[in-house]
Short mmCIF file of all heavy atoms in Angstrom, two decimals:
data_model
loop_
_atom_site.label_atom_id
_atom_site.label_comp_id
_atom_site.label_asym_id
_atom_site.label_seq_id
_atom_site.Cartn_x
_atom_site.Cartn_y
_atom_site.Cartn_z
N TYR A 96 -11.75 12.05 -14.76
CA TYR A 96 -11.63 11.27 -15.98
C TYR A 96 -10.29 11.50 -16.65
O TYR A 96 -9.64 10.54 -17.10
CB TYR A 96 -12.76 11.68 -16.95
CG TYR A 96 -12.76 10.87 -18.23
CD1 TYR A 96 -13.46 9.68 -18.32
CD2 TYR A 96 -12.01 11.28 -19.34
CE1 TYR A 96 -13.43 8.91 -19.48
CE2 TYR A 96 -11.98 10.52 -20.50
CZ TYR A 96 -12.70 9.35 -20.58
OH TYR A 96 -12.69 8.59 -21.72
N GLU A 97 -9.81 12.76 -16.70
CA GLU A 97 -8.55 13.05 -17.35
C GLU A 97 -7.36 12.41 -16.61
O GLU A 97 -6.42 11.93 -17.24
CB GLU A 97 -8.36 14.57 -17.44
CG GLU A 97 -9.31 15.22 -18.45
CD GLU A 97 -9.34 16.74 -18.32
OE1 GLU A 97 -8.98 17.26 -17.25
OE2 GLU A 97 -9.73 17.39 -19.31
N ASN A 98 -7.43 12.40 -15.29
CA ASN A 98 -6.39 11.75 -14.51
C ASN A 98 -6.34 10.27 -14.83
O ASN A 98 -5.27 9.69 -15.01
CB ASN A 98 -6.64 11.94 -13.01
CG ASN A 98 -6.03 13.21 -12.44
OD1 ASN A 98 -4.83 13.31 -12.26
ND2 ASN A 98 -6.89 14.19 -12.21
N LEU A 99 -7.49 9.62 -14.92
CA LEU A 99 -7.55 8.21 -15.26
C LEU A 99 -7.07 7.96 -16.70
O LEU A 99 -6.38 6.96 -16.96
CB LEU A 99 -8.96 7.69 -15.07
CG LEU A 99 -9.46 7.61 -13.61
CD1 LEU A 99 -10.95 7.30 -13.58
CD2 LEU A 99 -8.68 6.58 -12.82
N LEU A 100 -7.44 8.84 -17.61
CA LEU A 100 -7.07 8.69 -19.00
C LEU A 100 -5.57 8.74 -19.19
O LEU A 100 -4.97 7.91 -19.93
CB LEU A 100 -7.72 9.77 -19.85
CG LEU A 100 -7.45 9.75 -21.36
CD1 LEU A 100 -7.92 8.43 -21.98
CD2 LEU A 100 -8.09 10.92 -22.06
N ILE A 101 -4.91 9.67 -18.53
CA ILE A 101 -3.45 9.78 -18.62
C ILE A 101 -2.80 8.48 -18.12
O ILE A 101 -1.88 7.93 -18.74
CB ILE A 101 -2.93 10.98 -17.83
CG1 ILE A 101 -3.33 12.29 -18.56
CG2 ILE A 101 -1.43 10.92 -17.62
CD1 ILE A 101 -3.00 13.54 -17.78
N MET A 102 -3.29 7.99 -16.98
CA MET A 102 -2.70 6.79 -16.42
C MET A 102 -2.95 5.59 -17.35
O MET A 102 -2.06 4.75 -17.52
CB MET A 102 -3.28 6.52 -15.04
CG MET A 102 -2.55 5.44 -14.26
SD MET A 102 -0.80 5.82 -13.97
CE MET A 102 -0.95 7.21 -12.85
N ALA A 103 -4.14 5.51 -17.95
CA ALA A 103 -4.47 4.41 -18.85
C ALA A 103 -3.53 4.39 -20.05
O ALA A 103 -3.09 3.35 -20.52
CB ALA A 103 -5.92 4.51 -19.29
N LYS A 104 -3.21 5.60 -20.56
CA LYS A 104 -2.28 5.68 -21.68
C LYS A 104 -0.86 5.27 -21.26
O LYS A 104 -0.16 4.60 -22.04
CB LYS A 104 -2.29 7.13 -22.22
CG LYS A 104 -3.57 7.50 -22.94
CD LYS A 104 -3.49 8.91 -23.52
CE LYS A 104 -4.73 9.26 -24.30
NZ LYS A 104 -4.69 10.64 -24.87
N LEU A 105 -0.48 5.66 -20.04
CA LEU A 105 0.85 5.26 -19.56
C LEU A 105 0.95 3.74 -19.42
O LEU A 105 2.03 3.17 -19.63
CB LEU A 105 1.14 5.92 -18.21
CG LEU A 105 1.40 7.44 -18.26
CD1 LEU A 105 1.54 7.99 -16.86
CD2 LEU A 105 2.66 7.74 -19.05
N PHE A 106 -0.17 3.10 -19.07
CA PHE A 106 -0.18 1.65 -18.96
C PHE A 106 -0.21 0.97 -20.33
O PHE A 106 -0.11 -0.26 -20.41
CB PHE A 106 -1.36 1.19 -18.14
CG PHE A 106 -1.21 1.36 -16.65
CD1 PHE A 106 -2.23 1.94 -15.89
CD2 PHE A 106 -0.06 0.95 -16.02
CE1 PHE A 106 -2.09 2.09 -14.54
CE2 PHE A 106 0.11 1.12 -14.65
CZ PHE A 106 -0.92 1.69 -13.91
N GLY A 107 -0.40 1.75 -21.41
CA GLY A 107 -0.39 1.18 -22.75
C GLY A 107 -1.67 0.50 -23.14
O GLY A 107 -1.69 -0.35 -24.04
#
Side-chain angles (χ1 to χ4, degrees):
Y96 182 90
E97 289 167 338
N98 273 285
L99 291 171
L100 180 60
I101 289 173
M102 191 60 67
K104 289 182 177 180
L105 289 174
F106 283 133

